C-alpha cells in the first residue's frame, strides 16, 4: 500500500479572496467600473459645460458661479478627489481589459478586424491620453494660472482668465482640438455603455448611435462655442 497522502489532503484551498476582489478581477466587473466612472465623468463634463455657458451672460454671472463653487472648500475637495479617483479607475479598467484581450488573442494574429470600425472606437487609446494631457494643461492654465503667465491671470476673475487665455490663437486651437478628441471619446463611450449594459442586439444600435450623437453634439458643442466666441471677438475683455 502506498504511504502517500490521500489526494483530498494535498488539494490546497484557494487563497481567501474577497468578493470585491473577485468582481474587480472579472471582465464584467471591469466593464462595470469603466461604465460607472464614465457616467460620473460625463456628469462632471455636462455640469462644467453648463456652468461655462454662463460666460455668455457676462463677467458678473460667471464670476459669481466660480465663487459659488469655491464657497465650500470641503465639498470642492471632495468632488475633486472623487473625480481623480474616477479618472484613475477609468484608466485602470481600460488597462485591465486590454491586458485580458491581448492575452486572449491567438499568437500570430496580424489582421486587424474591427467589430465596430468607427473612427471613434479606433482612436479611444489616443483620445483618452490627449484628454488627460489637456486636463493637466487646463488646470495649470485656468485654475492655477501657472502655465500661460503672459495673459495676466487674475485669481477669482474667471471671465477675465477665460477670455484672455483663449484670445491667444494657438491656445484656443489646442482647446478646439481637445474638444474634437472629447467628441470622439464621449461618442464611443456612450455607445460602449449601451453594449456593457447588455443592449448589444442590432435592434438597439440605431437608438444607441442617435443618443451618443445627440449627447456628443450638446456637450462638445457647448464647450467649443467658447473658444470660437473669443476668437470671433464676441466675448471681449471688459
Ligand atoms: C472650451 C472648453 C472649456 C472651457 C472654456 C473651460 C473652462 C474652465 C475654467 C474657466 C476653469 C477654472 C474655473 C476656476 O476659476 O476655478 C476650469 C476648470 C476645470 N476644467 Fe474646464 N473648461 C473647458 C473644458 C473642460 C473639459 C472638456 C474638461 C474635462 C474633460 C474640463 C475639466 C476641468 C477641470 C477638472 C477643472 C478644475 C476644476 C477644479 O478647480 O477643481 N474642462 N475650466
Amino acid at each position: 500500500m502506498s504511504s502517500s497522502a490521500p489526494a483530498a489532503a494535498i488539494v490546497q484551498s484557494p487563497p481567501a479572496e474577497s468578493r470585491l476582489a473577485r468582481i474587480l478581477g472579472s471582465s464584467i466587473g471591469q466593464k462595470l467600473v469603466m461604465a460607472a466612472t464614465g457616467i460620473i465623468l460625463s456628469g462632471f463634463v455636462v455640469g462644467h459645460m453648463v456652468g461655462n455657458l454662463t460666460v455668455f451672460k457676462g463677467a458678473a454671472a460667471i464670476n459669481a458661479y466660480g465663487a459659488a463653487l469655491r464657497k465650500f472648500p470641503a465639498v470642492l475637495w471632495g468632488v475633486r478627489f472623487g473625480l481623480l479617483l474616477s479618472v484613475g479607475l477609468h484608466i485602470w479598467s481600460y488597462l485591465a481589459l486590454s491586458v485580458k484581450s491581448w492575452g486572449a488573442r491567438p499568437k500570430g494574429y496580424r489582421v486587424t478586424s474591427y467589430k465596430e470600425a468607427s473612427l471613434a472606437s479606433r482612436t479611444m487609446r489616443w483620445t483618452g491620453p490627449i484628454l488627460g494631457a489637456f486636463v493637466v494643461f487646463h488646470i495649470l492654465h485656468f485654475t492655477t494660472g501657472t502655465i500661460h503667465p503672459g495673459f495676466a491671470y487674475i485669481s477669482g476673475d474667471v471671465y477675465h482668465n477665460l477670455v484672455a487665455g483663449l484670445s491667444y490663437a494657438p491656445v484656443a486651437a489646442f482647446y478646439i482640438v481637445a474638444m474634437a478628441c472629447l467628441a470622439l471619446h464621449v461618442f464611443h463611450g456612450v455607445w460602449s455603455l449601451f453594449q456593457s449594459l447588455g443592449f448589444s442586439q442590432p435592434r438597439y444600435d440605431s437608438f444607441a448611435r442617435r443618443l451618443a450623437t445627440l449627447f456628443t453634439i450638446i456637450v462638445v458643442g457647448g464647450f467649443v462655442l467658447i473658444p470660437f466666441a473669443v476668437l470671433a471677438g464676441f466675448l471681449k475683455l471688459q
Side-chain angles (χ1 to χ4, degrees):
M1 211 174 155
S2 159
S3 61
S4 60
I10 54 171
V11 173
Q12 293 198 341
S13 56
E17 203 182 9
S18 78
R19 212 169 165 192
L20 182 67
R22 246 180 301 134
I23 293 171
L24 290 180
S26 71
S27 296
I28 291 186
Q30 289 157 3
K31 279 184 185 171
L32 281 175
V33 169
M34 176 163 277
T37 52
I39 291 172
I40 292 171
L41 294 171
S42 302
F44 164 76
V45 163
V46 171
H48 187 34
M49 182 276 288
V50 172
N52 280 353
L53 289 180
T54 55
V55 73
F56 291 103
K57 284 176 149 180
I62 193 159
N63 287 349
Y65 167 70
L69 291 182
R70 282 188 287 267
K71 205 168 174 186
F72 301 103
V75 176
L76 181 65
W77 280 102
V79 171
R80 283 173 173 167
F81 178 74
L83 287 174
L84 204 59
L85 188 67
S86 298
V87 170
L89 287 172
H90 202 66
I91 297 171
W92 167 80
S93 56
Y94 168 74
L95 293 176
L97 285 164
S98 299
V99 167
K100 275 202 182 110
S101 87
W102 292 332
R105 190 171 287 179
K107 280 207 174 99
Y109 180 82
R110 288 203 161 260
V111 181
T112 312
S113 138
Y114 298 113
K115 190 174 160 230
E116 187 231 324
S118 71
L119 177 69
S121 68
R122 281 180 281 126
T123 50
M124 285 308 262
R125 73 188 64 175
W126 300 113
T127 53
I130 293 171
L131 282 174
F134 163 76
V135 170
V136 173
F137 170 86
H138 182 53
I139 289 175
L140 294 174
H141 190 208
F142 282 152
T143 305
T144 64
T146 39
I147 213 165
H148 183 187
F151 80 88
Y153 178 85
I154 304 173
S155 180
D157 192 342
V158 183
Y159 184 90
H160 166 88
N161 297 335
L162 215 154
V163 176
L166 294 175
S167 295
Y168 185 52
V171 170
F174 177 53
Y175 271 77
I176 292 166
V177 170
M179 292 313 107
C181 291
L182 181 68
L184 290 169
H185 202 85
V186 160
F187 176 82
H188 185 71
V190 174
W191 164 265
S192 303
L193 182 68
F194 268 82
Q195 311 288 306
S196 303
L197 293 178
F199 297 97
S200 53
Q201 298 96 321
R203 67 193 149 122
Y204 296 119
D205 278 9
S206 91
F207 176 71
R209 211 174 282 278
R210 273 189 217 158
L211 193 84
T213 307
L214 188 70
F215 185 79
T216 305
I217 290 174
I218 292 175
V219 174
V220 178
F223 272 129
V224 92
L225 268 181
I226 297 173
F228 278 119
V230 174
L231 287 179
F234 186 76
L235 289 173
K236 294 191 188 84
L237 285 177
Q238 294 180 342

